[in-house]
Amino acid sequence: MTAATTAAPVGHDTAPTGHDLAEVGRSPATLRTFLHGLPGVDQVGADQRAAMLATRSIKTTAKAWAIDLAIRMVDLTTLEGADTPGKVRALGAKARRPDPTDAGCPPVAAVCVYPAMVPVAAEALAGSGVHLASVATAFPAGQAPLDVKLADTRAAVAAGADEIDMVISRGAFLAGRYHEVYDEIVAVKQTCGDAHLKVILETGELASYDNVRRASWLAMLAGADFIKTSTGKVPVAATLPVTLIMLEAVRDFHAVTGRRIGVKPAGGIRTTKDAIRYLVLVNETAGDGWLTPDLFRFGASSLLNDLLMQRAKLATGAYSGPDYVTLD
């Protein structure tokens, strides 16, 4: 991909200064004033730009590169009540060697599981370099006291998780209790220790693009290493326009602070064509500096299968049969 074509934010103002940010989290009033002073989102403009970028296509060598990059960006996920140790071990093996017939196929970025399955996943991934992520903080609803959320996080990290995917309290955010959400993120970040923190905004429940922008900035101000769209447990998950707004937020945050925050769309991303659309969006919005698993991830399960089949198609010229990849 070529260097990004920098576009103005789909809003009407400029980003705040670094001096302003030093004061933002000091009180509920200053945080509210800051969040409601962010540029408003032009919904029509965001939808149109995302739709325009989705029409871009890449071919042959560039497509092969994009597929391998997308594989390296996958957080291979199983978050079901029926998860078993055997399923998690199989997922770990697939994460390490997505295509057992091709040693050149890269591993995925991470495996993401519930805290109870972290010890099993840690054993399955030992020595692989694949990260181990765990959802925590009463995922997916987030409806639990803070001490329960912190205990959930602490247990996952102690068992071997080096990434924590937390959910924000959407009820508190929508009620305008921004500082309560801020304080929870700060506390979870402290509990994570050296583990990276991905903050799930559950954008499908935030009601407006303006709220997506506010929640993105709130999470980054509180110490998030990544901001993530969704749990995958509500009807509306990741979308291109919402991810565009989040990418603009991390780009602007970096311009002010010098700190790069990652973005993770999750839920509903199932095909190679979908993944490439997101990669184009990243390149054209935040820039090619974000085209790395350290700063962009896909929360997915079935996406990897399609990426592997398309990869084989490019290599052989023919689509593989339905038994080419394992079912997750």
Side-chain angles (χ1 to χ4, degrees):
M1 292 186 182
T2 60
T5 302
T6 302
V10 284
H12 57 67
D13 207 346
T14 57
T17 67
H19 176 72
D20 296 331
L21 294 184
E23 307 297 323
V24 167
R26 293 182 182 271
S27 73
T30 55
L31 183 59
R32 172 181 291 277
T33 298
F34 172 84
L35 294 177
H36 282 271
L38 288 170
V41 178
D42 174 358
Q43 181 171 342
V44 173
D47 289 343
Q48 289 179 344
R49 179 161 175 77
M52 181 271 291
L53 292 174
T55 65
R56 301 276 181 89
S57 62
I58 58 176
K59 306 295 183 183
T60 58
T61 303
K63 185 174 182 180
W65 174 85
I67 288 173
D68 276 9
L69 177 60
I71 290 171
R72 294 193 297 113
M73 289 175 164
V74 168
D75 280 6
L76 194 56
T77 302
T78 183
L79 297 170
E80 302 298 334
D83 285 343
T84 65
K87 181 178 182 181
V88 172
R89 290 189 190 99
L91 207 66
K94 185 171 183 177
R96 299 172 71 127
R97 188 80 180 268
D99 184 347
T101 69
D102 183 358
C105 182
V108 304
V111 168
C112 185
V113 295
Y114 276 117
M117 289 294 170
V118 169
V120 178
E123 182 179 357
L125 297 174
S128 68
V130 176
H131 291 287
L132 173 48
S134 178
V135 295
T137 66
F139 178 94
Q143 296 284 9
L146 179 58
D147 58 347
V148 173
K149 295 180 180 182
L150 296 182
D152 201 22
T153 302
R154 194 175 296 113
V157 172
D162 63 349
E163 299 181 351
I164 294 294
D165 289 28
M166 75 165 285
V167 290
I168 67 166
S169 299
R170 282 87 73 193
F173 179 89
L174 292 170
R177 301 198 307 273
Y178 302 130
H179 212 267
E180 179 180 326
V181 180
Y182 177 92
D183 284 345
E184 282 201 349
I185 297 172
V186 169
V188 173
K189 175 64 176 174
Q190 292 173 344
T191 303
C192 282
D194 293 333
H196 278 204
L197 177 62
K198 305 193 199 85
V199 177
I200 306 170
L201 309 181
E202 196 68 287
T203 53
E205 295 183 342
L206 294 187
S208 72
Y209 288 176
D210 283 347
N211 276 342
V212 171
R213 177 167 283 172
R214 289 176 188 135
S216 297
W217 274 89
L218 186 157
M220 292 188 294
L221 290 166
D225 297 298
F226 263 75
I227 51 176
K228 177 178 171 181
T229 61
S230 324
T231 62
K233 302 297 186 181
V234 302
V236 179
T239 67
L240 286 169
V242 158
T243 306
L244 168 67
I245 292 161
M246 293 168 66
L247 286 165
E248 288 184 342
V250 300
R251 179 196 64 197
D252 294 345
F253 188 81
H254 174 255
V256 175
T257 67
R259 183 175 171 225
R260 293 184 190 267
I261 307 299
V263 175
K264 178 180 172 181
I269 304 171
R270 297 184 176 89
T271 69
T272 299
K273 185 177 292 185
D274 289 338
I276 289 175
R277 285 171 177 157
Y278 278 93
L279 294 181
V280 170
L281 190 71
V282 173
N283 188 66
E284 297 297 323
T285 305
D288 59 9
W290 267 263
L291 287 174
T292 165
D294 291 336
L295 291 171
F296 194 78
R297 299 280 184 85
F298 294 106
S301 51
S302 59
L303 171 61
L304 180 58
N305 288 346
D306 194 69
L307 289 167
L308 294 174
M309 287 191 289
Q310 292 297 330
R311 190 177 189 276
K313 167 67 164 55
L314 285 178
T316 65
Y319 280 108
S320 302
D323 296 329
Y324 178 74
V325 294
T326 57
L327 296 177
D328 302 322

